[in-house]
Amino acid sequence: MAGSLTGKTTLVTGAGRGIGRATAIGLAASGADVLVVARSAGELAGTVAAFEETGPGTGHALAVVADLADGRQRQRVIDAVLARGRIDLLINNAATVEPLGSSATVSTADLRAAFEINVIAPAALTAAVTPGMLAAGWGRIVNVSSAIAANPGSMIRGNAYAATKAALEAHSRNLAAELAGTGVTVNVYRPGGVDTAMQAWIRSQDPERIGAALHERFRRSYADGRLLTPAESAQALVGHLIGPDGDQTGAIWNFTSTVAA
Ligand SMILES: NC(=O)c1ccc[n+]([C@@H]2O[C@H](COP(=O)([O-])OP(=O)(O)OC[C@H]3O[C@@H](n4cnc5c(N)ncnc54)[C@H](OP(=O)(O)O)[C@@H]3O)[C@@H](O)[C@H]2O)c1
């Protein structure tokens, strides 16, 4: 795996912890220069420090602290990364699972905030880096989704999450069709159930508010040891990028297998 992304520059959002952090470390280990974004400066610093153990990408890491749900901060990220040159790979990983709760109680402000980080931010970052990829005739965009997009009814009281991930997948596959034949590919990654802060946050919520069934499902998969580690899921994502699936576009990459679109 090492060396196959040498010379490529990658932007990974939400790389301070969880799947994004593990993906950034995996890409750095594969030779890429990796730029990372999140709101928590301390967590991002931890990710960049971890690159030192992984090798080739070490000297070229850049951490940008920003809230990607904020248009101005997002533009600051775009300006900072493009000032360094072209982005070859974009991993849109940052997301929120909020708001959870019965749909009648969810405010439009909270719904809008979920769309802003889960859909608008990935689309805006993609729009910013795509011209450079097209000029180079090569680019890779991966949007991190969820199995909920395949089965929206499976997460009752997670309406915003289901709607945003479905929108993200539709955006991805439509864009893949638009860019077909250009060398720029767009794929979706569904990471499986992974032991991260997002899962812990769901388990910490009041079952009354988020629904006892939903709470119990997340509690049980953790208690039964069924969650993947971030590294396991990230390894599969990086494997899709640098393995035989690497030239696919418009595909849904599940944790265990790929399903061509
Ligand atoms: N964990 C699972 O079981 C699971 C299952 C299916 C899909 N996913 C998807 O996998 C991806 C990663 O999830 P995860 O479980 O690793 O979550 P996580 O541990 O909560 O990490 C999320 C990352 O995104 C960043 N982030 C969140 N909101 C942001 C914002 N407004 N601006 C900038 N950065 C932001 C967080 O940092 P800050 O808070 O510091 O900003 C953090 O680095 C998400 O797209 C999620 O929907 C996860």
Side-chain angles (χ1 to χ4, degrees):
M1 183 186 283
S4 51
L5 291 175
T6 300
K8 304 290 187 196
T9 301
T10 304
L11 174 60
V12 184
T13 69
R17 58 176 185 262
I19 298 162
R21 178 183 195 273
T23 300
I25 291 169
L27 291 167
S30 299
D33 295 339
V34 184
L35 316 182
V36 291
V37 184
R39 292 167 299 185
S40 309
E43 291 187 348
L44 280 185
T47 300
V48 171
F51 293 162
E52 284 167 19
E53 292 159 26
T54 61
T58 306
H60 306 281
L62 173 72
V64 185
V65 178
D67 181 352
L68 289 169
D70 180 286
R72 259 191 237 156
Q73 293 189 44
R74 205 157 57 218
Q75 188 57 47
R76 193 165 49 72
V77 173
I78 290 167
D79 293 345
V81 300
L82 293 185
R84 293 170 59 103
R86 188 179 73 237
I87 295 297
D88 301 298
L89 298 92
L90 170 63
I91 314 294
N92 282 309
N93 165 79
T96 182
V97 73
E98 300 176 54
L100 295 179
S102 64
S103 294
T105 67
V106 169
S107 70
T108 50
D110 287 348
L111 189 56
R112 196 170 286 122
F115 270 90
E116 194 69 43
I117 180 65
N118 291 6
V119 185
I120 306 295
L125 292 177
T126 296
V129 303
T130 302
M133 292 178 172
L134 288 172
W138 196 94
R140 298 286 178 268
I141 298 160
V142 178
N143 291 322
V144 179
S145 181
S146 163
I148 194 174
N151 191 4
S154 66
M155 193 171 163
I156 291 169
R157 299 201 190 187
N159 189 281
Y161 192 61
T164 57
K165 291 302 190 184
L168 181 67
E169 292 202 1
H171 156 79
S172 307
R173 296 176 77 169
N174 179 277
L175 186 61
E178 180 183 327
L179 300 180
T182 64
V184 180
T185 67
V186 188
N187 294 293
V188 164
Y189 181 60
R190 296 177 183 158
V194 186
D195 188 6
T196 67
M198 185 180 280
Q199 288 259 346
W201 182 84
I202 297 170
R203 293 195 303 275
S204 75
Q205 297 306 295
D206 178 2
E208 286 271 314
R209 190 177 69 78
I210 70 165
L214 180 69
H215 187 271
E216 177 58 14
R217 196 177 105 205
F218 280 85
R219 194 198 65 76
R220 179 132 303 282
S221 57
Y222 174 74
D224 290 350
R226 283 189 276 117
L227 296 179
L228 301 164
T229 66
E232 286 170 331
S233 186
Q235 191 179 13
L237 168 49
V238 176
H240 282 298
L241 274 170
I242 66 175
D245 304 332
D247 291 330
Q248 284 185 331
T249 193
I252 306 292
W253 292 337
N254 285 292
F255 167 70
T256 48
S257 62
T258 53
V259 181

